[in-house]
Amino acid sequence: MSTALPLETAIEGKAVVLYDGECPLCKKSVSILKKLDWLNKLTFQNGRDVERLPASKVPLDPQRLIEEMHLLTPDRLHAYPGYKAFRYMAWRLPLTMLFAPFMYVPGVPWIGNKIYLWIAKNRLKLVPCDDGGCKVHFPKKPAK
């Protein structure tokens, strides 16, 4: 769980996309999303920087933020993971607005989530880094 610092004024009123800032695929995806965000509705933040997570009414689990991207809504009442985050963004990016309704067609969310989770799980193998694989460190899960 996160005890977050107060919001910076630069991100007030914007949805915050929390992503793995050490993942090349994630960083490339964020650079594309930034170019598509013509209406300036989103801000992006490295989910690994747990000391600087935005204040939120919902708990943000640092381990889950690394496993899959999350989107924190502007009112800070909801945090959408993975496919749901992309679906939220689709309504706010002019080039994807026409496709957004199709992301709710029965069966599409199930398939979209499965595809997203597979990509998230294999992302370090999909984009070559040094010697064919990235050396990204994942935080250890606390012992129970």
Side-chain angles (χ1 to χ4, degrees), residues 14-68:
K14 294 183 183 183
V16 181
V17 178
L18 299 164
Y19 67 97
D20 183 352
E22 292 182 19
C23 164
L25 179 63
C26 305
K27 291 192 289 189
K28 181 64 176 174
S29 299
V30 165
S31 74
I32 293 168
L33 289 168
K34 285 179 179 180
K35 290 175 185 171
L36 294 175
D37 186 20
W38 302 341
L39 304 176
N40 204 24
K41 298 283 186 179
L42 307 172
T43 190
F44 300 85
Q45 186 172 332
N46 183 353
R48 289 180 179 271
D49 190 0
V50 294
E51 280 77 36
R52 295 189 61 233
L53 290 177
S56 170
K57 303 263 194 252
V58 293
L60 299 172
D61 179 356
Q63 179 65 35
R64 291 235 26 239
L65 296 178
I66 301 308
E67 294 171 356
E68 56 185 316

Side-chain angles (χ1 to χ4, degrees), residues 113-131:
N113 193 53
K114 292 290 184 193
I115 292 169
Y116 177 86
L117 290 174
W118 184 86
I119 291 170
K121 182 179 177 183
N122 295 287
R123 70 188 187 270
L124 300 177
K125 298 173 195 165
L126 295 173
V127 176
C129 295
D130 300 324
D131 301 321

